[in-house]
């Protein structure tokens, strides 16, 4: 038998709410369903769960949940609310004899005057609670929440429109959302090591929840940078392996490496298995199905451009012959050889990342990454065009920045086939007829997303790779 619970959301990242709920419930092995009429874009949402313990698990892990209440009723008027609450008397009548209690009356998009707050509380007098009112340490807390329309950008007199709410909800507090305190704990500004590409803590925590990070899991970040995704994943008990083509990002200055110093700050250094410098298209992995999840924020050229090994322009036959001859002789100094790199165009990178994940993930494993896109040009086929056999899209949530946005994409490996390692060679790729909105994103960004602006040569890769389907 299912029970109804009222979720009070933090007012941020609305599109991330359902994917996070689904991920956390899957992690703990239960399911939820939305109540009729519930809208995840609104600040309050009613769901069905099998037990109160499931509600507590959501409150302790979901970053976007402020609190969860046992749901007693709702209505567009207080008359409707009280009728619903009376119909659910069996849920609260056991508290009548001697339970201490506290009432709160609050609103979204509005400030309720104290006089009317008292009136609302007194309207529940029919519940006949005989226990004492305890404002400091009550045995139960009853919450009444009014939802008002969004009036941001308008000038209003204080308390204007009081009582003209869209909906009012009522219930008993089950648990405050304790996971939200992690946003401050992992705040980049308080971190001992970070860079200009470090991911903000709330987003990195949301990404980590999408990976189903937990004790015993092994998670890989192929574009590690300064390690923003590693710390929350390790905090939730997972072991983390990281790599990057530029080892300086991971090391920083001084010893131990910057990522290890920050991991020690959070008490999770023992769960950072290793950090390696290599190009993901020239990786050292000799067997697949190693990782439970891959989570990353690929560089897309705004603050730092993606690179892969190779030259921007091929050497002439004469220069290549001279280069090969030079390699035979010992270097005249002790400086290490630094191989040349070339830009890694975003749409090529994204397609390669999916095919790499199919090889490296265990069956059921997840790939979680951000994909920037031009808002006006985006189509659903943009994501579908980079998918391959054995991989299934399960979430695609937008963080809107105006003319552009970035999409948190979650893909699950559904196949149990053991795939060969991808070669990432142009010979194996075929040109897709569809050009996604994230193609040449860096160039579009610096043109201000104007189609009439002059095109600069950013050494982009040309065709969008799409790999043949193999089963």
């Amino acid at each position: 038998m299912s029970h109804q619970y009222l979720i009070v959301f933090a007012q941020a990242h609305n599109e991330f709410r359902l994917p996070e709920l689904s991920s956390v419930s899957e992690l703990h092995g239960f399911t939820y369903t939305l109540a009729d009429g519930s809208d995840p874009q609104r600040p309050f949402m009613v769901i069905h769960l099998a037990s109160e313990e499931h509600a507590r698990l959501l409150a302790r892990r979901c970053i976007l949940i402020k609190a969860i209440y046992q749901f007693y009723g709702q209505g567009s008027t207080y008359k409707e609310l009280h009728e619903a609450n009376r119909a659910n008397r069996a849920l609260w009548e056991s508290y009548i004899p001697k339970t201490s209690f506290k009432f709160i009356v609050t609103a979204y998009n509005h400030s309720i005057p104290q006089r009317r707050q008292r009136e609302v509380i007194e309207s529940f007098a029919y519940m006949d609670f005989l226990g004492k009112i305890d404002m400091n340490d009550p045995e139960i807390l009853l919450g009444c929440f009014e939802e008002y329309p969004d009036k941001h950008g308008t000038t209003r007199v204080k308390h204007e429109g009081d009582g003209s709410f869209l909906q009012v909800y009522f219930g008993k507090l089950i648990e405050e959302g304790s996971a939200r305190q992690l946003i401050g704990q992992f705040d980049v500004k308080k971190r001992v090591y970070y860079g200009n590409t470090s991911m903000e803590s709330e987003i990195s925590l949301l990404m980590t929840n999408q990976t189903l990070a937990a004790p015993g899991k092994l998670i890989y970040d192929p574009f590690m940078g300064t390690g923003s995704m590693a710390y929350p994943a390790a905090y939730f008990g997972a072991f983390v392996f990281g790599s990057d083509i530029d080892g300086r990002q991971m090391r920083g200055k001084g010893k131990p490496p910057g990522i290890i110093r920050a991991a020690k700050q959070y008490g999770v250094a023992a769960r950072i298995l290793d950090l390696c410098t290599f190009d993901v298209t020239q990786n050292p992995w000799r067997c697949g199905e190693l990782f439970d999840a891959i989570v990353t924020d690929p560089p897309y050229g705004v603050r730092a451009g993606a690179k892969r090994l190779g030259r921007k322009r091929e050497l002439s036959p004469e220069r290549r012959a001279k280069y090969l001859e030079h390699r035979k002789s010992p270097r005249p100094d002790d400086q290490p050889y630094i191989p040349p790199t070339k830009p890694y165009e975003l749409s090529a990178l994204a397609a390669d990342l999916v095919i790499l994940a199919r090889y490296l993930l265990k069956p059921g494993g997840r790939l979680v990454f951000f994909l920037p896109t031009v808002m006006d040009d985006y189509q659903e086929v943009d994501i579908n065009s980079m998918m391959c056999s054995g991989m299934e899209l399960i979430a695609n949530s937008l963080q809107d920045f105006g003319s552009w946005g970035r999409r948190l994409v979650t893909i699950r490996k559904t196949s149990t086939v053991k795939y060969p390692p991808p070669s990432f060679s142009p010979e194996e790729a075929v040109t897709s007829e569809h050009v996604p909105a994230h193609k040449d994103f860096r160039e579009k960004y610096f043109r201000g997303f104007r189609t009439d602006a002059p095109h600069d040569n950013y050494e982009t890769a040309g065709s969008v790779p799409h790999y043949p389907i193999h089963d």
Side-chain angles (χ1 to χ4, degrees):
M1 179 181 177
S2 66
H3 304 276
Q4 288 186 307
Y5 295 89
L6 172 67
I7 297 179
V8 181
F9 282 115
Q11 298 313 302
H13 309 300
N14 297 4
E15 288 205 13
F16 294 63
R17 291 170 176 173
L18 289 187
E20 184 183 41
L21 281 174
S22 298
S23 295
V24 174
S25 59
E26 180 180 333
L27 173 64
H28 291 290
F30 63 87
T31 60
Y32 74 95
T33 55
L34 297 181
D36 292 342
S38 286
D39 182 355
Q41 297 296 318
R42 294 171 70 170
F44 310 104
M45 189 175 77
V46 181
I47 63 173
H48 295 272
L49 292 170
S51 73
E52 182 177 306
E53 181 59 25
H54 294 167
R56 295 185 183 277
L57 290 171
L58 290 176
R60 293 167 189 169
R61 182 65 185 259
C62 289
I63 306 303
L64 298 178
I65 290 180
K66 291 178 68 176
I68 294 187
Y69 286 71
Q70 185 179 21
F71 178 68
Y72 287 170
Q74 72 180 85
S76 57
T77 65
Y78 273 98
K79 180 181 178 181
E80 291 181 4
L81 172 61
H82 291 314
E83 288 174 355
N85 189 40
R86 285 188 172 96
N88 284 325
R89 181 183 177 87
L91 298 176
W92 48 262
E93 65 180 354
S94 62
Y95 303 122
I96 292 176
K98 56 181 180 180
T99 305
S100 63
F101 65 96
K102 174 183 176 180
F103 255 93
I104 63 167
V105 181
T106 187
Y108 169 75
N109 272 335
H110 183 70
S111 176
I112 304 175
Q114 287 190 353
R115 170 190 54 77
R116 199 170 70 80
Q117 289 184 39
R118 289 192 298 269
E119 292 175 358
V120 170
I121 293 172
E122 290 167 0
S123 71
F124 288 92
Y126 61 86
M127 297 179 76
D128 293 327
F129 279 15
L130 302 177
K132 69 174 182 177
I133 299 173
D134 188 340
M135 303 302 290
N136 297 317
D137 189 23
E139 293 176 76
I140 62 170
L141 186 149
L142 300 169
C144 190
F145 304 93
E146 296 178 358
E147 179 190 355
Y148 287 78
D150 189 353
K151 295 184 178 179
H152 286 101
T154 63
T155 303
R156 291 177 290 167
V157 179
K158 188 177 181 180
H159 305 314
E160 179 184 339
D162 185 48
S164 300
F165 48 78
L166 300 172
Q167 199 78 187
V168 58
Y169 304 83
F170 182 59
K172 176 181 73 75
L173 178 66
I174 298 298
E175 189 155 336
E176 300 280 358
S178 55
R180 284 199 62 75
Q181 68 184 10
L182 296 176
I183 297 173
Q185 182 175 333
F186 287 97
D187 187 353
V188 175
K189 295 178 182 177
K190 302 174 184 176
R191 192 174 297 165
V192 297
Y193 179 68
Y194 61 91
N196 64 347
T197 59
S198 296
M199 179 69 73
E200 59 267 36
S201 60
E202 185 172 21
I203 293 294
S204 63
L205 286 160
L206 286 169
M207 294 180 73
T208 302
N209 274 345
Q210 290 295 95
T211 68
L212 310 185
K217 299 285 186 73
L218 180 58
I219 294 178
Y220 173 43
D221 185 346
F223 300 95
M224 190 74 157
T226 57
S228 294
M229 263 61 75
Y231 313 125
Y235 177 84
F236 288 132
F239 290 101
V240 180
F241 185 94
S243 70
D244 203 295
I245 193 171
D246 186 353
R248 295 171 298 178
Q249 288 281 330
M250 299 183 290
R251 291 191 299 269
K253 296 180 179 179
K255 294 186 178 180
I259 287 179
I260 301 301
R261 294 201 305 272
K264 286 182 178 179
Q265 176 185 355
Y266 300 122
V268 298
R271 296 196 188 106
I272 308 298
L273 293 183
D274 208 346
L275 306 171
C276 291
T277 301
F278 58 79
D279 174 6
V280 291
T281 66
Q282 304 288 334
N283 64 73
W285 307 117
R286 294 298 175 260
C287 62
E289 300 187 0
L290 293 171
F291 300 104
D292 295 284
I294 294 174
V295 59
T296 193
D297 180 33
Y300 40 87
V302 176
R303 294 181 181 175
K307 301 286 185 182
R308 62 181 297 180
L309 295 180
R311 297 182 181 277
K312 295 180 182 179
R313 296 176 180 84
E314 291 299 323
L315 296 176
S316 65
E318 295 79 11
R319 290 192 64 187
R320 182 171 179 79
K322 186 180 295 186
Y323 167 73
L324 292 175
E325 184 65 28
H326 178 71
R327 285 186 60 182
K328 296 178 182 178
S329 4
R331 292 178 62 83
D333 52 40
D334 294 331
Q335 294 299 314
Y337 171 71
I338 300 176
T341 60
K342 61 183 179 181
Y344 199 175
E345 199 277 318
L346 180 61
S347 59
L349 185 157
D352 287 350
L353 185 58
V354 175
I355 206 79
L356 176 68
R358 187 177 68 170
Y359 172 61
L360 289 179
L361 287 175
K362 299 175 183 177
R366 290 183 168 199
L367 167 64
V368 182
F369 67 101
F370 261 119
L371 184 70
T373 188
V374 183
M375 294 292 290
D376 291 341
D377 299 337
Y378 172 77
Q379 302 175 54
E380 287 188 15
V381 70
D382 291 356
I383 305 296
N384 297 331
S385 65
M386 66 187 186
M387 299 294 290
C388 60
S389 174
M391 302 293 278
E392 173 191 27
L393 178 69
I394 59 174
N396 175 10
S397 308
L398 173 67
Q399 186 180 14
D400 190 349
F401 296 125
S403 57
W404 72 284
R406 57 183 182 181
R407 292 184 170 273
L408 181 55
V409 179
T410 304
I411 298 171
R412 177 167 50 208
K413 181 177 177 179
T414 58
S415 176
T416 58
V417 175
K418 291 186 180 295
Y419 290 94
S423 67
F424 306 109
S425 64
E427 292 76 18
E428 287 192 7
V430 296
T431 303
S432 171
E433 294 182 1
H434 174 73
V435 178
H438 54 273
K439 175 77 164 62
D440 297 329
F441 179 82
R442 181 174 187 264
E443 180 180 352
K444 294 173 182 176
Y445 181 91
F446 286 109
R447 292 206 320 265
F449 305 106
R450 291 167 47 206
T451 57
D452 59 340
H455 290 251
D456 292 322
N457 182 12
Y458 286 94
E459 301 292 341
T460 52
S463 62
V464 182
H466 181 73
Y467 291 88
I469 294 175
H470 300 288
D471 281 320

